[in-house]
Amino acid sequence: MSLVTILAVYPFALLYDGLIAEHFHSWPLHWRTANFPIFLAPLLTYAVMPWLSRVLRRTRRRGPGRSAAPTGLTAGPHDAPTQARRQAFGYHR
């Protein structure tokens, strides 16, 4: 997950420093420093990180000998109690 965070933060930090930060040179240091997390933290938290996590989910979960399907979604003979609960509560796939 830290790699995902780095991939998400770096381009936006670069854009911020290159396009936006130059407009705040006359501001005091504490206000200039506060701009970065005030603008980028919500953007990264609610838009970029969820999207990037979904995009990279398959590559993060896949290991040697593992399929891309998340575990627990396939029903085998050992899942009879789970299948019974699903039928009892009206869950249909």
Side-chain angles (χ1 to χ4, degrees):
M1 201 60 192
S2 57
L3 179 62
V4 174
T5 304
I6 291 168
L7 288 174
V9 171
Y10 181 74
F12 285 97
L14 194 61
L15 285 172
Y16 177 84
D17 284 341
L19 300 176
I20 298 171
E22 64 186 31
H23 299 290
F24 299 113
H25 283 296
S26 61
W27 289 21
L29 178 63
H30 61 280
W31 287 112
R32 284 184 293 179
T33 306
N35 272 330
F36 185 78
I38 286 172
F39 291 117
L40 288 181
L43 176 68
L44 291 170
T45 301
Y46 297 110
V48 177
M49 290 297 291
W51 174 79
L52 194 57
S53 293
R54 278 193 303 274
V55 168
L56 298 176
R57 179 175 293 145
R58 290 187 180 166
T59 60
R60 289 185 299 137
R61 290 192 180 186
R62 190 178 292 180
R66 293 174 66 185
S67 68
T71 59
L73 295 181
T74 58
H78 60 282
D79 281 341
T82 303
Q83 290 172 356
R85 281 193 304 273
R86 287 180 178 164
Q87 289 174 354
F89 291 107
Y91 176 78
H92 301 288
R93 294 188 345 177

